[in-house]
Amino acid sequence: AQKITQTQPGMFVQEKEAVTLDCTYDTSDPSYGLFWYKQPSSGEMIFLIYQGSYDQQNATEGRYSLNFQKARKSANLVISASQLGDSAMYFCAMRETPDSNYQLIWGAGTKLIIKP
Amino acid sequence: EAQVTQNPRYLITVTGKKLTVTCSQNMNHEYMSWYRQDPGLGLRQIYYSMNVEVTDKGDVPEGYKVSRKEKRNFPLILESPSPNQTSLYFCASSRAYGQGASQPQHFGDGTRLSIL
């Protein structure tokens, strides 16, 4: 079974609109972390935001916020006021307990295209 | 500047010719990892290392070797490359202990390998 599911293979969004990228995860471990990364067409992998399973507040980093719904096992990325430079692949990833091998388990990604 | 440096960025080679992709990080991170990225499959872990002289297999280790003789370096070795190893490869590093579980992995810029 997929541990990380990103149901949107691709999205088109008008510039300046807000964007929500979906991510659902599957784990029975009470301690885990969720990460979002951005991969522009140039190929590098850029860390955006982190949410820990015990964090009380939803994580925010500038225009990025994470809509964390623990009971639903979802960790959607919200990008406010989208910009042309936001066009990229976006990956959701999960790391389970600290005693694990620190492996990140990745979703298949969502390709976001911002239209001018 | 904190970074993970991979070399080469691009390589086209032939089946069976041994090659090494180097990876070096300057953040004193304990944890280092190699991933390969293939379309529609997200990132899959090849090998990882929790510290010097400590390495272990990830999800897709067949055909690869690694070593960790120094904390900063984690080379990926393809002893006898084959066309199914054509892929985009990433090296990543992070802290491993203490707050390591919540720390993002820092990625190199990627190495595009084509095995003919």
Side-chain angles (χ1 to χ4, degrees):
Chain A
Q2 292 272 18
K3 286 218 164 189
I4 297 284
T5 303
Q6 295 181 252
T7 57
Q8 307 149 311
M11 287 183 73
F12 286 91
V13 172
Q14 199 69 39
E15 189 181 9
K16 298 181 186 170
E17 289 184 353
V19 181
T20 297
L21 303 179
D22 295 340
C23 174
T24 58
Y25 59 93
D26 182 24
T27 181
S28 56
D29 200 312
S31 177
Y32 53 90
L34 296 154
F35 300 80
W36 276 92
Y37 283 82
K38 172 184 178 181
Q39 187 178 36
S41 57
S42 49
E44 69 269 29
M45 200 66 75
I46 302 166
F47 166 70
L48 296 178
I49 196 166
Y50 165 80
Q51 180 84 45
S53 59
Y54 293 121
D55 292 344
Q56 297 296 313
Q57 308 271 3
N58 284 347
T60 60
E61 288 286 348
R63 292 188 301 113
Y64 303 108
S65 61
L66 207 151
N67 183 2
F68 182 47
Q69 298 186 44
K70 195 169 180 177
R72 297 180 61 190
K73 293 188 176 178
S74 79
N76 298 340
L77 177 70
V78 180
I79 307 174
S80 63
S82 58
Q83 302 170 357
L84 296 178
D86 294 332
S87 294
M89 282 290 290
Y90 288 82
F91 292 95
C92 179
M94 176 175 67
R95 173 185 281 154
E96 292 173 304
T97 68
D99 293 328
S100 75
N101 67 12
Y102 288 87
Q103 180 181 3
L104 281 174
I105 302 163
W106 296 80
T110 296
K111 184 166 186 174
L112 176 64
I113 298 174
I114 306 298
K115 300 183 292 182
Chain B
E1 181 191 350
Q3 59 185 6
V4 178
T5 303
Q6 290 179 233
N7 279 297
R9 292 291 312 278
Y10 304 91
L11 179 63
I12 301 173
T13 187
V14 296
T15 299
K17 186 176 181 183
K18 180 179 178 179
L19 68 91
T20 299
V21 185
T22 63
C23 174
S24 181
Q25 51 93 4
N26 63 2
M27 295 167 279
N28 203 34
H29 285 162
E30 298 88 2
Y31 181 86
M32 296 186 74
S33 179
W34 276 102
Y35 295 92
R36 61 177 289 173
Q37 183 181 23
D38 302 289
L41 295 177
L43 276 78
R44 295 179 291 168
Q45 190 180 50
I46 303 170
Y47 269 95
Y48 67 94
S49 169
M50 297 293 284
N51 215 325
V52 176
E53 301 292 1
V54 181
T55 64
D56 209 343
K57 297 177 181 178
D59 294 324
V60 288
E62 295 77 21
Y64 305 94
K65 285 174 59 176
V66 293
S67 67
R68 187 94 182 270
K69 294 185 171 58
E70 305 164 286
K71 197 171 187 179
R72 62 184 294 125
N73 295 324
F74 191 46
L76 179 70
I77 302 156
L78 285 72
E79 293 270 3
S80 183
S82 62
N84 64 11
Q85 293 177 299
T86 293
S87 189
L88 176 60
Y89 291 85
F90 286 101
C91 179
S93 74
S94 73
R95 290 181 59 192
Y97 304 107
Q99 295 298 308
S102 66
Q103 297 300 306
Q105 289 185 10
H106 298 261
F107 282 76
D109 287 340
T111 296
R112 289 194 181 273
L113 282 185
S114 292
I115 316 293
L116 305 177

